[in-house]
Amino acid sequence: MESKDNELTKSEIEILSILWKYGGSSVRFVNDKLNEERPVKYTTTLKLMQIMNDKGILSRDKSNMQHVYYVVENQEETKTFLLEKFLNRIFDGSVENLMIQLLGNKKTSKEELSKIKDLLDKME
């Protein structure tokens, strides 16, 4: 994201997820994918993608009749940014509190716990 001050809405994150999965895409393609989950008007998707382009979140290739939109920053950078904002806003920056909440709310499988333990061991 060009400006880290940009707040992403749920709808913007849905659009980013589609573009990360399928790469550069037309508004029609993105709208069709959104409609697989819930009804969304084409004009709503178009306007939102135009706004995201103006915010510097997306870039647009105008060389063809059908404009193709691309995500400006890669998925990992954006997820890291969003996770840090979430962690700071909801858990006062405490990874410990996040993990306690996360692991306490859902039954974690032995396999998941093993992977988490392995990851923690590698980080030490």
Side-chain angles (χ1 to χ4, degrees):
M1 291 173 358
E2 194 170 282
S3 170
K4 295 293 185 192
D5 296 330
N6 289 333
E7 290 289 328
L8 293 177
T9 66
K10 180 182 178 209
S11 296
E12 288 173 335
I13 292 170
E14 288 174 328
I15 289 170
L16 287 175
S17 294
I18 292 167
L19 293 173
W20 284 325
K21 184 173 182 177
Y22 297 100
S25 302
S26 68
V27 175
R28 172 65 58 206
F29 179 83
V30 171
N31 190 72
D32 289 346
K33 291 296 176 188
L34 290 171
N35 274 284
E36 291 176 5
E37 299 296 319
R38 62 182 169 80
V40 180
K41 292 183 179 179
Y42 174 84
T43 54
T44 302
T45 303
L46 172 62
K47 185 64 178 169
L48 191 52
M49 290 177 75
Q50 288 171 336
I51 290 169
M52 291 171 75
N53 181 70
D54 293 344
K55 286 170 129 181
I57 299 167
L58 301 181
S59 64
R60 178 175 57 204
D61 179 0
K62 301 179 191 178
S63 62
N64 294 317
M65 187 137 175
Q66 191 175 46
H67 296 179
V68 175
Y69 287 81
Y70 300 88
V71 181
V72 170
E73 285 199 15
N74 74 39
Q75 184 174 6
E76 207 54 45
E77 290 171 348
T78 303
K79 284 182 176 181
T80 297
F81 167 73
L82 292 173
L83 183 58
E84 285 175 8
K85 285 190 78 142
F86 176 77
L87 181 66
N88 289 330
R89 185 178 299 139
I90 307 299
F91 294 96
D92 294 325
S94 171
V95 174
E96 177 184 4
N97 290 340
L98 169 66
M99 294 305 296
I100 289 169
Q101 184 74 40
L102 187 62
L103 294 173
N105 278 351
K106 179 184 173 199
K107 181 153 176 62
T108 308
S109 71
K110 288 182 180 182
E111 182 181 327
E112 288 172 320
L113 284 174
S114 177
K115 288 180 182 179
I116 292 168
K117 287 176 185 174
D118 289 344
L119 178 62
L120 290 173
D121 287 342
K122 289 177 186 175
M123 295 177 81
E124 288 183 355

